């Protein structure tokens, strides 16, 4: 169902509060730069640091500005089933100028390490309590528990579990899954650096951190793949590769927010226990942005101060 280049949006802050003005500008810029869809309140959006009311504000703002131009997926993950259900129902209930969320992205619950049977029951319960398409989010690096392929295949039999965001980095996985999944079930890479290889193995898009900073390039990479232009794909991949590394030189999303602050699009602030980037990290990010053609000369053409 979901395919193409999606941005895992950061959540901008100003004076400790969510900066809705900066978020509006960021969403509009992302869409104008050619991104195919947006994910609000995911890992990169610091969702676990936001109150329920803040999550509501963020998702409503993204829906309002996107205005049905691209799909909007709402992250609604939490530690417990009850809280995840509360966030999910909150997101489902939003209607902004006739626009509703197109999907719900839910990660395996962190820290507690449920069994595969427990994970199946968890997602099944969410499926039964909702009416919106669900994107499974498999990110064992953050949650400490992966979804086995057999669990994904079983969950894909439920009619509204329609997509997997795969942040495992296992490039054999999409081909192995494709053998057993419904044709309309889609696989999205959750790892920028290996996204082109993931496309070649059966993936149909990426949920990108780097596209916060380089939406046009990330979208161009996906389009080059779709058009069979492997020369262009290789060119864009080479431009982006240092940026992908730089976005994780310190804890995500601090590097992405620092990079956006260089454009004047938002402050570099993150919420504790995260901290803003160090000088050493900033140097690496600046170098990667220069390599990608994003600074310093391009900054003046990208917009004014919206932080």
């Amino acid at each position: 169902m979901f395919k193409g280049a999606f941005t895992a949006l950061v959540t901008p802050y100003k004076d400790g509060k969510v900066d809705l003005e900066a978020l509006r500008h960021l969403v509009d810029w992302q869409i104008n730069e050619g991104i195919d869809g947006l994910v609000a309140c995911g890992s990169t959006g610091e969702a676990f640091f936001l109150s329920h009311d803040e999550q509501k504000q963020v998702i409503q703002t993204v829906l309002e500005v996107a205005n049905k131009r691209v799909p909007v997926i709402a992250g609604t993950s939490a530690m417990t089933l009850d809280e995840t259900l509360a966030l999910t129902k909150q997101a489902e209930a939003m209607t902004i100028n006739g626009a509703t969320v197109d999907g719900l992205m839910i990660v395996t619950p962190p820290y507690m390490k449920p069994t595969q049977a427990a994970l199946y029951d968890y997602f099944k319960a969410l499926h039964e309590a909702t009416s919106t398409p669900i994107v499974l989010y498999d990110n064992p690096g953050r949650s400490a528990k992966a979804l086995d392929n057999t669990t994904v295949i079983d969950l894909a039999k439920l009619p509204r579990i329609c997509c997997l965001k795969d942040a495992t980095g296992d490039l054999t996985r999409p081909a192995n899954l494709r053998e057993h999944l419904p044709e309309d079930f889609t696989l999205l890479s959750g790892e920028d650096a290996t996204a082109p290889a993931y496309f070649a193995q059966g993936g149909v898009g990426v949920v990108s951190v780097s596209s916060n900073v380089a939406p046009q390039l990330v979208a161009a990479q996906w389009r080059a793949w779709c058009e069979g232009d492997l020369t262009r794909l290789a060119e864009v991949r080479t431009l982006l590769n240092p940026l992908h590394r730089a976005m994780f030189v310190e804890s995500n999303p601090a590097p992405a927010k620092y990079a956006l602050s260089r454009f004047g699009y938002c402050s570099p602030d993150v919420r504790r226990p995260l901290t803003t980037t160090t000088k050493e990290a900033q140097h690496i990010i600046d170098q990667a942005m220069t390599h990608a053609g994003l600074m310093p000369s391009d900054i003046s053409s990208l917009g004014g101060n919206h932080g």
Side-chain angles (χ1 to χ4, degrees):
M1 180 177 184
F2 299 112
K3 63 186 297 185
F6 281 66
T7 297
L9 287 166
V10 302
T11 299
Y13 302 130
K14 186 175 184 178
D15 300 326
K17 299 180 180 179
V18 175
D19 187 347
L20 296 179
E21 181 183 356
L23 180 61
R24 288 187 183 97
H25 175 80
L26 182 60
V27 169
D28 199 49
W29 177 61
Q30 290 281 321
I31 295 171
N32 290 337
E33 290 287 286
I35 214 70
D36 296 304
L38 300 167
V39 176
C41 297
S43 303
T44 304
E46 296 172 81
F48 278 77
F49 298 165
L50 302 176
S51 69
H52 286 213
D53 187 57
E54 286 175 326
Q55 291 204 32
K56 183 177 182 179
Q57 291 176 21
V58 168
I59 295 166
Q60 285 179 330
T61 300
V62 175
L63 282 173
E64 176 190 354
V65 179
N67 195 26
K68 302 182 184 179
R69 288 180 288 170
V70 299
V72 173
I73 298 172
T76 58
S77 304
M79 284 284 291
T80 66
L81 177 61
D82 286 348
E83 189 178 2
T84 301
L85 275 171
L87 290 170
T88 299
K89 288 181 177 294
Q90 174 178 264
E92 268 199 317
M94 294 180 197
T95 303
I96 308 296
N97 299 326
T100 58
V101 296
D102 298 280
L104 306 163
M105 188 180 75
I106 303 169
V107 74
T108 52
Y111 184 72
M112 295 305 295
K113 299 185 179 182
T115 65
Q116 293 301 307
L119 288 172
Y120 177 86
D121 286 346
Y122 176 78
F123 284 107
K124 186 172 184 286
L126 291 165
H127 178 272
E128 290 175 349
T130 58
S131 58
T132 303
I134 292 173
V135 178
L136 304 173
Y137 182 14
D138 193 9
N139 189 346
R142 284 186 181 267
S143 69
K145 187 68 177 183
L147 280 168
D148 287 352
N149 283 0
T150 53
T151 307
V152 174
I153 292 163
D154 287 342
L155 287 168
K157 296 172 184 175
L158 301 174
R160 281 176 293 94
I161 294 185
C162 64
C163 180
L164 171 69
K165 178 188 173 184
D166 182 0
T168 63
D170 180 358
L171 292 176
T172 67
R173 194 179 196 197
N176 290 335
L177 282 171
R178 269 275 62 96
E179 295 178 30
H180 305 285
L181 291 170
E183 194 168 324
D184 59 351
F185 189 99
T186 54
L187 301 171
L188 301 178
S189 171
E191 186 176 84
D192 273 304
T194 57
Y198 199 88
F199 303 160
Q201 287 286 85
V204 293
V206 59
V207 180
S208 173
V209 174
S210 295
S211 60
N212 278 285
V213 184
Q216 190 177 84
L217 286 174
V218 173
Q221 180 178 256
W222 168 245
R223 283 165 179 70
W225 171 258
C226 292
E227 293 165 5
D229 189 344
L230 299 186
T231 299
R232 177 59 175 158
L233 177 71
E235 291 172 352
V236 179
R237 182 194 63 210
T238 299
L239 287 173
L240 284 171
N241 202 45
L243 187 67
H244 297 331
R245 293 195 300 270
M247 289 300 94
F248 291 89
V249 68
E250 290 179 356
S251 297
N252 176 44
K257 284 189 164 183
Y258 166 75
L260 285 167
S261 77
R262 299 288 276 140
F263 297 157
Y265 281 2
C266 73
S267 81
D269 294 352
V270 289
R271 284 189 173 167
R272 293 179 176 176
L274 299 181
T275 56
T276 54
T277 49
T278 61
K279 292 292 185 184
E280 293 79 8
Q282 290 170 13
H283 178 67
I284 293 168
I285 297 162
D286 286 348
Q287 285 186 318
M289 291 172 71
T290 299
H291 179 83
L294 298 175
M295 64 173 293
S297 60
D298 286 358
I299 283 182
S300 61
S301 69
L302 287 170
N305 188 353
H306 298 272

